[in-house]
Amino acid sequence: MEILPFMARRLKLATRSGPDPVTGGPAMERRRNWQTLLAMLPRLWPEGRVDLRTRVVMAVLALVAAKGITVYVPFLYKEAVDRLSPETAAEAAVLVPAMLIVAYGVARIMMVALAQLRDAVFAKVGQNAVRELAVETFRHLHALSLRFHLERRTGGLSRVIERGTKGVDFLLRFSLFNIVPTIIELGLVCVILAYAFDIRYSLVTAGTVLLYMIFTFAVTEWRTRFRREMNDLDTEANTKAVDSLLNYETVKYFGNEEHETRRFDRSMTGYERAAIKTTTSLSLLNTGQTLIFSGGLTLLMLMAAQGIAEGVLTVGSFVMINTYLIQLYQPLNLLGTVYREIRQALIDMETMFELMQVPAEIEDKPGAPALRVDGGEIEFDDVSFYYDPDRRILDGVSFRVPSGRTLAIIGPSGAGKSTIARILFRFYDISEGAVRIDGQDIRDVKQDTLRAAIGMVPQDTVLFNDTIRYNIRYGRPEATDAEVEEAAELARIGTFIESLPQGYDTRVGERGLKLSGGEKQRVAIARTILKNPPVLLLDEATSALDTHTEREIQAALRRISRDRTTLIIAHRLSTVVDADEILVLDRGRVVERGRHETLLALGGAYAAMWNRQRESEAAREEEEKLLKTGDERLPGPGRLADVEIDPGFA
């Protein structure tokens, strides 16, 4: 099922009246709810887990024992009351009612103890199911395509998973230990009342419960839309909050704190209105439930009182009936709560399960072999890539990077340079042509082995909110500390790390914000060095570095790229002059190719770009000299902006 169009249609149709043409109205929604419940049942009986199945059996036995005692307790109460009534108290020994009272107390303790034992034994089963589902969802998210993740809302996505897993936990616990036991207890009570007293007592009890359930289900269905609206607004508010905090510096740069607060407040205002509706409708539901049950209880008590007056029933019988109804009210009242929570849990789980149904756009072929890397030769054979045939991002691109050689790709923004990198990693499948490594089409091999063979230093380095050691070791998690430190030295960041108070155990902050752009870039380079792949892909790898550091990093990159196939994507032409071949890309096509000297001699697009960048660098170096000497001829603010640079290559 194409889930994104499905959800879009639902949003578009949500404001129309009548049944939802997509979902099929309430009947179809109820069918989906039952399907969800049935899909959860196997998690109560995990395949191959004898220990968990044993726990399920033990929990069910504890449940049965608890319900048996629950049904028997009112009989003890009745006998104790009858033994203590004025008519029989003088004839009965004090010991008998005392023993009945003690037995009543012990039985009530056993009721609670067995219920707690049941919950304790089943806890591992429920939490194991929640963990497995959360891990399954997390794994599925990583299996989805880059296209999906570029369109995602991180804050909303995390909240959807959080609510969904909580809903699963609730369903697992309450579907087995509250709904079914309550129905069983209701049936037993009706049978006992009919057998011990009169069929009328059973009819009134069953009628009260039936009316109670109809009212509960009807009002809960009505309240569902309020809960759905509240969840949508909660997701929206959380998304805006996370997005704003992730872009903290941008907010500060433009002084838009109040603007962000107003956006968040608008979402929270809508959430407030929806939450008020949810709470007030809950009050209505609770009031109606109390009226229905209290009415039925009062009617039964009047019938029992009449039976006592007629001499048919004893006072103990009156107490027994009242006790049964009070005992029944507790799980019945919980049944109403459980139903409401189950409906809400199903709503919370709905988006998460739809997320699980989003197909993985890029999948391995059945039986796909591992990539065999002999030298790491890369070949793009007449590759075209597009979302829409009328707008081709790559159009007939062909090149070959022999094993151990270096190819550089340059071009303006939007030319398709980064798309080539993503295609090589198989984040996207190409529309036409073929991409091969050592003669193997990358669509025919396992994705994990393909990506294991390629080391990537991206232009925009994002680090995990962990230590520097963790971020470098991410290139090869099993690496030793000595190997991590060696990689840092090769990336020219080892001295800096050792100068920090906590050294390699220094935390880098959210997205690595505690480090400068150059420091983050060098951590990324160290991470790739540690991975030690046969193929290197450098996407603007030194774009965030100053001239001096750039030269150091370039020297390190030249050392590690020796005897490796290297693909460089760059806009600083000074970083690609040593490449074995340079491709000039424009609008998805290769417009020039050759070595640095050859392209300069052609006097074409590459030569024009080279001259512009040299002029810009010369002006920048002159300004740096004037800054060091304090010369009064220092250009005023904005003067460097007057240097003519091709906007596509600035």
Side-chain angles (χ1 to χ4, degrees):
M1 179 179 64
E2 291 293 338
I3 197 64
L4 296 178
F6 171 80
M7 295 181 70
R9 292 197 300 273
R10 288 205 63 185
L11 290 172
K12 186 182 295 184
L13 294 164
T15 55
R16 300 181 184 177
S17 59
D20 187 337
V22 178
T23 63
M28 180 64 72
E29 186 171 357
R30 284 193 295 269
R31 188 177 298 115
R32 290 205 325 271
N33 290 341
W34 278 110
Q35 290 172 351
T36 301
L37 288 171
L38 291 174
M40 292 304 303
L41 288 178
R43 299 185 185 275
L44 296 173
W45 195 250
E47 187 70 28
R49 293 295 304 271
V50 177
D51 59 327
L52 296 182
R53 290 186 173 187
T54 301
R55 285 177 173 271
V56 173
V57 173
M58 291 173 61
V60 171
L61 291 176
L63 167 65
V64 172
K67 286 302 172 187
I69 294 174
T70 300
V71 172
Y72 187 68
V73 160
F75 280 102
L76 295 173
Y77 202 17
K78 172 185 179 302
E79 289 298 321
V81 171
D82 284 340
R83 295 289 183 133
L84 293 172
S85 63
E87 294 80 5
T88 60
E91 303 174 3
V94 178
L95 182 61
V96 175
M99 291 177 62
L100 289 170
I101 293 172
V102 170
Y104 170 78
V106 171
R108 292 195 64 85
I109 292 173
M110 290 297 295
M111 284 168 47
V112 176
L114 287 169
Q116 295 303 313
L117 176 63
R118 174 203 67 196
D119 292 342
V121 169
F122 189 74
K124 187 173 182 179
V125 180
Q127 292 306 314
N128 177 74
V130 170
R131 177 185 60 81
E132 287 188 347
L133 184 62
V135 170
E136 184 180 342
T137 306
F138 186 75
R139 182 180 290 111
H140 181 71
L141 288 175
H142 278 290
L144 295 179
S145 67
L146 178 65
R147 194 198 316 268
F148 171 85
H149 286 282
L150 290 176
E151 297 173 352
R152 73 180 181 181
R153 297 182 303 169
T154 306
L157 193 62
S158 64
R159 187 59 66 91
V160 164
I161 297 173
E162 177 187 353
R163 287 199 305 255
T165 51
K166 286 182 178 178
V168 170
D169 180 39
F170 186 89
L171 277 177
L172 285 174
R173 288 187 292 113
F174 284 86
S175 60
L176 179 63
F177 294 134
N178 288 90
I179 296 178
V180 174
T182 300
I183 294 174
I184 293 173
E185 184 176 352
L186 173 62
L188 289 174
V189 169
C190 288
V191 170
I192 290 171
L193 290 177
Y195 176 77
F197 303 106
D198 191 316
I199 188 65
R200 293 176 302 158
Y201 292 92
S202 294
L203 293 176
V204 171
T205 301
T208 300
V209 171
L210 182 61
L211 183 59
Y212 181 98
M213 294 177 67
I214 291 173
F215 175 80
T216 298
F217 295 166
V219 175
T220 301
E221 292 292 337
W222 170 64
R223 293 183 66 243
T224 295
R225 59 192 180 97
F226 300 139
R227 175 70 179 195
R228 193 186 301 274
E229 180 184 0
M230 189 172 73
N231 280 352
D232 290 342
L233 292 167
D234 174 51
T235 299
E236 179 184 336
N238 189 67
T239 299
K240 289 181 178 177
V242 171
D243 193 39
S244 179
L245 293 175
L246 287 177
N247 291 280
Y248 170 83
E249 289 183 88
T250 304
V251 174
K252 288 293 184 182
Y253 290 151
F254 293 94
N256 279 337
E257 294 91 342
E258 286 304 315
H259 168 71
E260 293 295 325
T261 302
R262 286 193 296 272
R263 290 179 70 235
F264 183 68
D265 184 53
R266 282 196 293 271
S267 296
M268 289 304 297
T269 299
Y271 175 82
E272 177 187 6
R273 287 195 295 266
I276 290 172
K277 291 178 182 177
T278 301
T279 303
T280 52
S281 60
L282 177 61
S283 299
L284 173 64
L285 177 59
N286 289 336
T287 302
Q289 289 175 331
T290 302
L291 287 173
I292 292 171
F293 197 87
S294 297
L297 178 62
T298 302
L299 179 57
L300 283 172
M301 292 299 96
L302 288 173
M303 292 168 59
Q306 183 180 2
I308 293 172
E310 295 174 351
V312 178
L313 300 180
T314 64
V315 175
S317 300
F318 180 90
V319 173
M320 178 181 173
I321 294 172
N322 182 74
T323 303
Y324 267 127
L325 266 294
I326 295 298
Q327 283 189 178
L328 185 61
Y329 177 73
Q330 294 175 356
L332 188 60
N333 183 55
L334 187 60
L335 178 63
T337 303
V338 168
Y339 178 77
R340 294 195 302 268
E341 292 299 327
I342 283 178
R343 291 290 293 116
Q344 292 168 4
L346 289 170
I347 294 168
D348 293 341
M349 292 166 59
E350 182 179 328
T351 306
M352 187 181 73
F353 277 103
E354 287 176 348
L355 185 65
M356 291 286 289
Q357 294 173 7
V358 177
E361 185 177 336
I362 309 298
E363 292 184 316
D364 291 336
K365 291 182 177 179
L371 176 68
R372 300 184 312 276
V373 181
D374 298 324
E377 180 182 87
I378 301 173
E379 181 184 5
F380 273 58
D381 183 6
D382 197 23
V383 170
S384 294
F385 174 73
Y386 48 81
Y387 299 117
D388 184 342
D390 295 332
R391 182 180 177 273
R392 292 182 172 237
I393 299 173
L394 294 179
D395 189 4
V397 173
S398 295
F399 62 83
R400 188 175 68 89
V401 190
S403 173
R405 308 299 288 273
T406 299
L407 173 76
I409 301 176
I410 66 170
S413 177
K417 305 187 301 296
S418 295
T419 301
I420 287 177
R422 289 170 172 174
I423 286 174
L424 186 60
F425 268 93
R426 208 187 165 200
F427 290 160
Y428 301 123
D429 273 340
I430 58 177
S431 306
E432 300 170 9
V435 178
R436 304 182 185 93
I437 294 181
D438 284 338
Q440 302 158 84
D441 194 314
I442 62 174
R443 292 170 294 190
D444 297 334
V445 299
K446 290 182 178 179
Q447 297 176 63
D448 57 345
T449 61
L450 167 68
R451 292 163 190 158
I454 307 173
M456 174 69 164
V457 180
Q459 177 182 8
D460 182 19
T461 299
V462 178
L463 303 181
F464 293 95
N465 188 3
D466 209 302
T467 64
I468 294 177
R469 188 188 308 278
Y470 174 85
N471 278 282
I472 295 178
R473 183 175 274 142
Y474 202 77
R476 184 156 50 89
E478 69 277 7
T480 65
D481 287 348
E483 290 172 322
V484 169
E485 292 166 12
E486 181 183 359
E489 291 295 334
L490 287 172
R492 295 294 192 269
I493 196 176
T495 303
F496 164 75
I497 296 173
E498 290 169 358
S499 69
L500 298 172
Q502 294 178 297
Y504 283 85
D505 293 324
T506 302
R507 300 189 75 87
V508 302
E510 188 79 33
R511 297 170 63 87
L513 291 177
K514 290 184 179 180
L515 301 181
S516 69
E519 290 159 358
K520 287 197 298 182
Q521 203 78 333
R522 282 181 284 181
V523 169
I525 292 170
R527 184 164 58 192
T528 302
I529 291 172
L530 186 64
K531 186 178 180 180
N532 194 27
V535 177
L536 282 177
L537 204 163
L538 310 176
D539 186 358
E540 308 282 10
T542 59
S543 62
L545 306 178
D546 56 64
T547 304
H548 175 71
T549 307
E550 178 187 5
R551 288 170 183 161
E552 289 187 342
I553 296 301
Q554 285 297 327
L557 289 176
R558 277 194 295 272
R559 283 198 302 272
I560 67 170
S561 62
R562 192 175 298 127
D563 300 326
R564 285 185 173 86
T565 307
T566 305
L567 189 63
I568 301 175
I569 295 172
H571 76 269
R572 285 189 188 180
L573 302 189
S574 59
T575 65
V576 301
V577 294
D578 295 328
D580 297 301
E581 186 178 20
I582 300 171
L583 262 61
V584 181
L585 205 64
D586 188 22
R587 298 182 182 179
R589 292 176 175 270
V590 178
V591 295
E592 288 183 0
R593 67 197 311 160
R595 291 184 64 87
H596 172 69
E597 298 81 3
T598 305
L599 293 175
L600 284 181
L602 285 175
Y606 181 85
M609 289 184 281
W610 175 261
N611 292 331
R612 290 191 184 99
Q613 288 199 12
R614 293 298 294 171
E615 291 174 5
S616 174
E617 289 172 4
R620 186 174 291 108
E621 289 175 2
E622 181 65 22
E623 182 183 16
E624 289 177 357
K625 289 181 181 178
L626 294 174
L627 282 170
K628 290 179 180 179
T629 60
D631 197 305
E632 294 179 355
R633 293 173 297 166
L634 179 67
R639 286 290 301 277
L640 286 181
D642 297 333
V643 178
E644 183 179 357
I645 304 174
D646 189 312
F649 294 85

